[in-house]
Amino acid sequence: MDTITQEKAYEFYMLTNNTLTDMAEKRGIKKLNDYYELTDFNTCTEYGQLLNGLGKNTVARVFVQMAFHAQNATLISKIVNFEKNIPFLKRVLCGFEPKKFLSEYREAESVVEVLRYDGDKQEGLKWNDHKNKRERKDSLITGYAQALIDCANYLKNFKDAEAVRVDLESHYVRSNNKMDYENLIEYFHGIIPHRFSIALTCDFLKEFDTKFSDLCKPDIHVKDTLCALLGKKNGYYFTLKREYECIGQMQELVKLINEKLPKEEKITVYKLDRMIWLICSGNFFLHNTKSIKDTYLTNINDLVWA
C-alpha cells in the first residue's frame, strides 16, 4: 500500500463510517446494513423484484443483471433507464431468456431498432443521435445491443446461475504473473467484448455473487478517494493498468482496516466501496432518497422528450 500505515487506514475508515452515519441520520435512515449485501436482490426496488421473480438460480436472472450493469454508466443509463423501462425491456428482450433472445435477434442493428422509441405506441428508449456523425449514428445504443448479444451467447451454454458462477470463479485465480482479479476481468472481456469496461465488469461481478465481494468498482468516487488518501494527483487512475492497481489498493486497504477491527466488525471490499459511493453520490437508493443531481437530470430528460 502506498505510504499508508495500519493506523492511518483505520483512521480513514472511522472518518468514512462517521461521515456516512451522519449523512444517513440527517435523512432519517438509521440502518445501512442492506447496502452492504447484494443490493441487486433487494426487493424494495423494481429491479430487485424482477430478479427475485425470475428466480435466483436461473440463467434469465443473470442475463438481467448483465443487461442492467452494462448500462450502469452515466450516458447510457440515461438512455436505457432500466428500472423505469422494465416492462418494455422484459417484453422486447424475450423475458431475458438468452436462447429465445438469440432466436429473435441475429445482430445488434435489429436489437437497436426494437429498442428505439416508437411515437405511435408511446414506448421504447429515447436517445438523441442528431449530433453524431453518420458513421457514429446510434453508437451508444449499438454498443449496448452488442453487449446484450455477447451476454446471451455466453449464457446460452449454462443450465443455471450456479453453473455461471462456477465458470467465472474458475478464472478467479492468479496466473501468468497476473493478480486473480486481473485474470478474471480479462476472461470476462474475452467472452463479453462490448460495453463492459473494467468498472462495469466489477460492478456486475460484485453484485452477481458474494464470491466476488472482494472486488470494487473502480469508478470516479473510489479513484478520487484513493487519490486523496494516498496523495496522488487527480486523474492518476485513468489508465487500464492503474484501474487494476486501484482494485488491488482497495483490497490492501481493507486488509489493513480489518487488522484493527474486532472480528464481528470486519468489512469486505464490497462494503467499503459502497460506503464511499453513498457518501460521494448522496444517493441512498434503497430508501428512495435520490441525489438532487439524479432527480435534476431525470427532470431535464423528461422536459426534452415531453
Side-chain angles (χ1 to χ4, degrees):
M1 194 72 187
D2 290 13
T3 64
I4 186 168
T5 64
Q6 181 189 89
E7 189 63 35
K8 285 297 180 185
Y10 177 72
E11 289 177 3
F12 160 74
Y13 173 69
M14 293 309 297
L15 171 65
T16 302
N17 188 55
N18 292 338
T19 301
L20 181 57
T21 299
D22 183 59
M23 287 180 65
E25 287 179 351
K26 287 179 178 177
R27 291 164 171 76
I29 301 170
K30 296 182 179 179
K31 293 184 179 181
L32 292 168
N33 290 344
D34 285 350
Y35 288 98
Y36 307 142
E37 299 175 358
L38 300 183
T39 54
D40 273 18
F41 297 96
N42 194 300
T43 54
C44 77
T45 68
E46 291 185 35
Y47 169 57
Q49 292 169 23
L50 171 64
L51 289 181
N52 285 281
L54 290 171
K56 287 191 176 182
N57 197 34
T58 63
V59 174
R61 79 88 167 165
V62 185
F63 194 16
V64 171
Q65 284 190 283
M66 287 181 159
F68 175 81
H69 289 284
Q71 60 92 58
N72 205 13
T74 303
L75 294 177
I76 189 67
S77 65
K78 301 302 179 184
I79 294 173
V80 179
N81 206 344
F82 200 94
E83 274 213 272
K84 183 178 179 180
N85 290 302
I86 283 175
F88 167 74
L89 292 170
K90 184 177 181 180
R91 178 171 59 80
V92 301
L93 300 183
C94 307
F96 299 103
E97 295 288 346
K99 291 181 179 179
K100 290 181 180 179
F101 174 82
L102 291 171
S103 68
E104 185 72 22
Y105 308 110
R106 301 282 182 176
E107 55 195 14
E109 288 75 11
S110 58
V111 179
V112 170
E113 290 311 311
V114 77
L115 292 176
R116 193 186 300 277
Y117 185 75
D118 186 322
D120 294 331
K121 295 181 179 179
Q122 295 287 296
E123 65 174 13
L125 309 184
K126 302 169 181 178
W127 63 89
N128 188 346
D129 58 19
H130 298 307
K131 294 182 179 180
N132 289 348
K133 294 180 180 179
R134 184 168 183 174
E135 62 271 19
R136 289 183 56 78
K137 180 178 170 66
D138 302 333
S139 58
L140 271 176
I141 199 66
T142 297
Y144 181 69
Q146 288 171 329
L148 292 178
I149 291 176
D150 291 342
C151 294
N153 273 316
Y154 169 63
L155 294 174
K156 71 181 181 183
N157 301 309
F158 299 96
K159 65 176 182 178
D160 53 32
E162 174 62 14
V164 178
R165 183 197 64 76
V166 170
D167 178 64
L168 292 172
E169 193 177 8
S170 71
H171 293 86
Y172 199 17
V173 292
R174 186 168 183 169
S175 64
N176 299 323
N177 297 317
K178 295 177 181 177
M179 297 300 291
D180 49 8
Y181 53 81
E182 187 175 357
N183 197 55
L184 173 59
I185 292 167
E186 288 188 357
Y187 170 69
F188 189 87
H189 287 172
I191 56 177
I192 316 290
H194 297 98
R195 190 59 233 156
F196 279 89
S197 60
I198 291 176
L200 291 186
T201 300
C202 291
D203 194 42
F204 161 71
L205 289 170
K206 70 184 184 66
E207 288 291 344
F208 172 61
D209 194 275
T210 55
K211 293 290 184 180
F212 308 107
S213 63
D214 55 350
L215 290 174
C216 73
K217 177 185 180 183
D219 61 10
I220 186 64
H221 303 314
V222 167
K223 290 174 179 177
D224 285 350
T225 298
L226 287 183
C227 281
L229 180 63
L230 302 176
K232 297 182 180 296
K233 293 181 179 179
N234 289 337
Y236 173 83
Y237 293 102
F238 284 87
T239 67
L240 293 181
K241 181 180 179 180
R242 287 178 175 174
E243 285 196 331
Y244 283 126
E245 182 182 339
C246 177
I247 296 169
Q249 288 178 331
M250 279 286 283
Q251 291 181 343
E252 182 62 23
L253 180 59
V254 167
K255 180 180 177 182
L256 289 173
I257 292 168
N258 282 336
E259 288 173 356
K260 292 281 290 182
L261 290 176
K263 183 178 179 179
E264 65 275 11
E265 295 179 19
K266 293 187 186 304
I267 64 171
T268 60
V269 176
Y270 182 102
K271 180 175 180 177
L272 182 59
D273 177 299
R274 180 54 52 77
M275 293 173 80
I276 292 170
W277 188 87
L278 287 170
I279 291 171
C280 295
S281 72
N283 185 357
F284 292 79
F285 58 96
L286 296 180
H287 290 85
N288 294 316
T289 58
K290 286 190 174 183
S291 70
I292 294 174
K293 180 178 180 181
D294 282 346
T295 302
Y296 175 61
L297 293 178
T298 297
N299 289 341
I300 291 175
N301 186 67
D302 291 343
L303 177 67
V304 171
W305 290 99

